[in-house]
Amino acid sequence: MKIYSQRLCLEPLKPDHAELLFDGLQSASIYDFIEDIPPQSVESLRDRYIVLARRQSPDGTEIWLNWAVWSFVEKCYVGYVQATITVDNSAILGYVFFPNSWGKGYAREAVKWMINYLVETYQNLNFCAEVNVQNHRSIALLHNLGFVRSTFFQNIQSNQDEFNHEVQYRKG
């Protein structure tokens, strides 16, 4: 189901989005604070999206919800948002926005509308997100949406073979 806000359309992620999001996901600054690397090819990204489009983990214990974010203002994709719903009714949120869309409120708007959709669709979710302590934009976004700092994780190893400090934020 597509989700519409004033300036955005959140489209359920499909394999066809790989070609549309690939270039935006190549910016190195996106990966300063997340445990991921730029996709190596459109084909590898499409393969990843094929798995995510199943909307369920292979063992059936998690619901995977992912949306590509289209901006009506920019007339292009500006990133994606995601939620993983676990058996204990946690909704683990994630979001990636392309640098040319930073500072325009798209992340706040998209995550807010995703949360609203999840609240209406699923009962009694506990929302959480884990953020690198140096990712001040993401921390400000979560505070703005009513999340509070919960747990500190020290020396988390990333895909770049570095160690980071992360904080979990929660919203009931």
Side-chain angles (χ1 to χ4, degrees):
M1 165 184 269
K2 290 183 179 180
I3 302 170
Y4 294 94
S5 69
Q6 182 178 355
R7 301 180 302 159
L8 305 173
C9 177
L10 281 62
E11 303 172 355
L13 192 68
K14 297 179 180 171
D16 293 345
H17 282 110
E19 188 171 354
L20 302 168
L21 298 177
F22 180 80
D23 288 341
L25 292 170
Q26 295 305 302
S27 176
S29 57
I30 290 173
Y31 305 93
D32 287 346
F33 302 115
I34 62 173
E35 295 181 28
D36 206 351
I37 58 172
Q40 300 301 306
S41 66
V42 171
E43 294 75 24
S44 66
L45 188 59
R46 183 177 294 113
D47 291 343
R48 180 176 177 187
Y49 288 176
I50 287 170
V51 173
L52 293 176
R54 294 179 187 148
R55 300 174 50 99
Q56 190 173 40
S57 63
D59 64 5
T61 61
E62 297 178 338
I63 298 170
W64 293 342
L65 303 171
N66 297 271
W67 292 271
V69 180
W70 173 266
S71 166
F72 295 119
V73 175
E74 309 284 336
K75 296 182 177 31
C76 65
Y77 290 95
V78 293
Y80 66 83
V81 294
Q82 59 190 35
T84 300
I85 300 176
T86 64
V87 293
D88 68 351
N89 280 343
S90 289
I92 305 165
L93 305 184
Y95 38 87
V96 170
F97 285 82
F98 308 148
N100 61 355
S101 69
W102 292 354
K104 298 179 181 179
Y106 294 135
R108 181 179 38 81
E109 188 173 333
V111 174
K112 177 182 175 183
W113 282 83
M114 175 179 60
I115 289 172
N116 290 344
Y117 168 81
L118 295 170
V119 167
E120 291 174 10
T121 307
Y122 300 90
Q123 277 66 48
N124 302 318
L125 290 177
N126 297 305
F127 294 95
C128 66
E130 293 180 4
V131 181
N132 182 300
V133 296
Q134 295 179 347
N135 190 343
H136 303 292
R137 285 181 180 273
S138 190
I139 290 169
L141 166 68
L142 293 170
H143 281 185
N144 183 276
L145 294 171
F147 283 73
V148 294
R149 184 177 173 147
S150 170
T151 309
F152 177 76
F153 302 101
Q154 191 169 353
N155 296 325
I156 304 296
Q157 188 168 5
S158 73
N159 288 344
Q160 292 90 3
D161 292 325
E162 299 171 351
F163 289 93
N164 299 308
H165 304 307
E166 292 186 354
V167 176
Q168 184 179 74
Y169 284 82
R170 294 194 158 277
K171 175 179 179 163

